[in-house]
Amino acid sequence: MDITRSAQQQVHDFNQAITLWFRGETNRENINDVLGRLHQDFIMVAPDGSVKSHEDLAAWLPKVFGTKQGFSAVADQFIVSYSADNIAIIVYHEMQKTPSTINNRRSSALFIADGEGKIRWRHLQETWL
């Protein structure tokens, strides 16, 4: 298994899932299309410096379902910072757009593969550009 390729695909797949979620173009029952990609001990350091846990995101996501019509998130400029058998740290650029705003961020994400080879996000650090 090439964990770096799988991790990069996870970023793309997550962005697609969160785009559909924010637009309300999926069913609320599909919340695990977003949350299921994250390790239960997931931690995110947001661009404003706040720290969010898996539990925090699980409580927040239902509140933002369908609230960002026209939203999109696209990742590119991937850099493999570190890779071993079951972990990878990937750095990438992400652009988020709505009809009225565009914001860019540089993100660093730690991915871990479990015993069955399923890749999950363990940590995410985002920085505004």
Side-chain angles (χ1 to χ4, degrees):
M1 168 180 64
D2 180 354
I3 192 166
T4 60
R5 188 180 319 242
S6 297
Q8 289 176 35
Q9 188 61 49
Q10 272 285 0
V11 173
H12 289 301
D13 293 347
F14 183 88
N15 280 344
Q16 179 63 29
I18 199 73
T19 292
L20 294 173
W21 186 263
F22 282 145
R23 290 180 179 181
E25 294 177 0
T26 187
N27 294 319
R28 286 181 178 271
E29 294 79 27
N30 294 337
I31 193 168
N32 279 332
D33 290 350
V34 177
L35 285 177
R37 299 174 188 284
L38 309 178
H39 188 277
Q40 68 182 31
D41 296 323
F42 174 80
I43 293 291
M44 175 180 126
V45 180
D48 66 1
S50 63
V51 177
K52 310 291 184 199
S53 68
H54 187 281
E55 186 176 295
D56 294 331
L57 294 175
W60 175 74
L61 279 170
K63 297 174 187 173
V64 297
F65 179 82
T67 61
K68 295 185 180 185
Q69 298 303 312
F71 175 86
S72 67
V74 179
D76 60 10
Q77 301 175 19
F78 289 92
I79 300 167
V80 177
S81 175
Y82 178 79
S83 178
D85 290 340
N86 67 337
I87 67 171
I89 300 172
I90 306 293
V91 177
Y92 59 95
H93 165 261
E94 182 176 289
M95 180 173 56
Q96 294 185 358
K97 293 168 68 174
T98 68
S100 60
T101 61
I102 296 176
N103 72 62
N104 291 279
R105 60 190 74 198
R106 179 79 54 207
S107 297
S108 177
L110 170 63
F111 295 89
I112 299 176
D114 64 19
E116 298 172 2
K118 184 167 183 168
I119 308 294
R120 295 195 189 272
W121 299 64
R122 179 62 178 84
H123 182 87
L124 175 63
Q125 167 81 49
E126 297 182 320
T127 303
W128 296 121
L129 297 179

